[in-house]
Amino acid sequence: MAAPKEDVRDSSTSFPVKNNCIAVEVNSHKTELVCCTFEDRIFCIVTQYQKLGMLVDVTREIVMEETDTAPPRYSTRVLLGKDEPMTHVLAQTLISKLDIHKPIILAMALKDTAPSSVKKLAEYLTQLVNT
Amino acid sequence: MTETKQSDSGNIPSPINLAIHTFSEKIMGTYVYFQVLKLSDSFWLWIGNSPAKFGDFTVAMNSGKMPCSTVLLGNSDSGCLAMAERLAKRTGKQVFISGELTFNQIQLPLIEKRVAEEMKQHPDNF
């Protein structure tokens, strides 16, 4: 029951990049999530258009006196697409559940930006990154 | 209520349309790794060594006579840029290229040749 039933593909271990893909349906929108782990960065794609869409550079802020309870803080920079508050909010929400220190390049092309859908996608993304 | 419904539909394995195609080649003594993600009207190509560095990130589009390109991340004199332009012109698609192209002037054309070869052999992957 607990095991994820999504069609998870794993690349061969000899290739230096670790790739994971899943396809899920959220609020009846087919969404594809791809995560490529590199030595220096993680490239995450969340797409409902089969395109990269907006590209956001996400880096974790170094917080002095980091306590275990404080949630990690990320700063976002738009590389491609509309640099408007909504883009930053979407990116922040999508990565909010991740706990990684590597910088992330996030590509997102979303038809549905309802808070409940984006939260659901954030869960799937976390699941994918941690596999 | 809707939550359970959503996760249920999420559990039905939907076919993955986005596919990552990987290949590698030994070019002048060093292994070069390639990976392509086919997207709608575009593709993303990564080129690099092991251990894999994401490196620079560039995009190019064919617009009329001259392709236009820009560096999204990294060095502005990235070797990816010229390659992205040529691939955009060749395919007519929007081309994203990333990678640490610290290869020399003799290796770069060979790498591009290898990509062109792969395009010919497996056009469906681009």
Side-chain angles (χ1 to χ4, degrees):
Chain A
M1 270 302 276
K5 287 177 193 135
E6 286 89 5
D7 183 12
V8 178
R9 272 193 213 170
D10 215 341
S11 72
S12 65
T13 44
S14 58
F15 199 77
V17 187
K18 190 181 147 222
N19 295 314
N20 288 318
C21 318
I22 57 167
V24 292
E25 212 165 278
V26 172
N27 196 15
S28 67
H29 288 289
K30 192 193 167 185
T31 316
E32 283 169 287
L33 297 102
V34 182
C35 172
C36 308
T37 312
F38 294 88
E39 197 71 4
D40 54 344
R41 275 176 198 280
I42 294 182
F43 186 43
C44 295
I45 304 167
V46 181
T47 183
Q48 292 172 335
Y49 285 98
Q50 295 196 4
K51 291 183 183 201
L52 291 188
M54 290 183 283
L55 288 166
V56 186
D57 182 16
V58 184
T59 40
R60 190 164 171 157
E61 276 176 34
I62 300 157
V63 183
M64 304 299 278
E65 296 168 49
E66 197 169 354
T67 53
D68 294 339
T69 47
R73 281 172 52 187
Y74 298 94
S75 62
T76 45
R77 186 166 65 101
V78 176
L79 300 176
L80 188 70
K82 266 190 196 165
D83 192 355
E84 55 177 23
M86 190 60 178
T87 312
H88 293 271
V89 170
L90 285 175
Q92 295 268 359
T93 314
L94 280 174
I95 50 117
S96 58
K97 294 213 173 65
L98 296 178
D99 190 16
I100 40 174
H101 288 267
K102 272 185 201 172
I104 306 163
I105 301 283
L106 180 68
M108 50 184 188
L110 301 177
K111 286 177 191 171
D112 176 19
T113 54
S116 60
S117 310
V118 180
K119 273 182 195 159
K120 198 89 203 151
L121 288 172
E123 277 169 35
Y124 282 121
L125 186 67
T126 313
Q127 204 181 313
L128 186 69
V129 171
N130 293 333
T131 45
Chain B
M1 293 287 265
T2 44
E3 288 278 304
T4 9
K5 234 182 175 178
Q6 278 179 7
S7 70
D8 277 346
S9 64
N11 280 342
I12 299 164
S14 339
I16 295 178
N17 293 345
L18 294 184
I20 293 180
H21 172 63
T22 60
F23 55 101
S24 62
E25 181 78 40
K26 199 172 184 179
I27 293 170
M28 295 181 71
T30 40
Y31 276 102
V32 183
Y33 297 90
F34 303 83
Q35 81 168 29
V36 196
L37 175 70
K38 187 189 172 146
L39 297 151
S40 157
D41 301 324
S42 56
F43 64 89
W44 167 57
L45 171 69
W46 173 83
I47 305 166
N49 303 104
S50 179
K53 288 258 173 81
F54 187 77
D56 302 329
F57 199 12
T58 57
V59 61
M61 268 173 93
N62 196 15
S63 55
K65 277 179 190 166
M66 284 291 287
C68 54
S69 60
T70 187
V71 176
L72 300 167
L73 196 76
N75 284 329
S76 53
D77 59 346
S78 168
C80 306
L81 203 60
M83 197 186 290
E85 281 185 7
R86 283 191 289 270
L87 291 181
K89 200 167 184 182
R90 182 193 282 255
T91 57
K93 290 181 175 180
Q94 189 178 15
V95 180
F96 293 88
I97 297 189
S98 64
E100 238 195 350
L101 292 187
T102 49
F103 305 103
N104 61 40
Q105 293 303 311
I106 308 163
Q107 282 171 312
L108 268 177
L110 291 173
I111 289 167
E112 204 172 319
K113 204 177 148 199
R114 180 66 183 86
V115 174
E117 228 169 73
E118 194 71 18
M119 274 181 168
K120 238 181 233 168
Q121 280 173 16
H122 306 279
D124 299 344
N125 291 325
F126 287 85

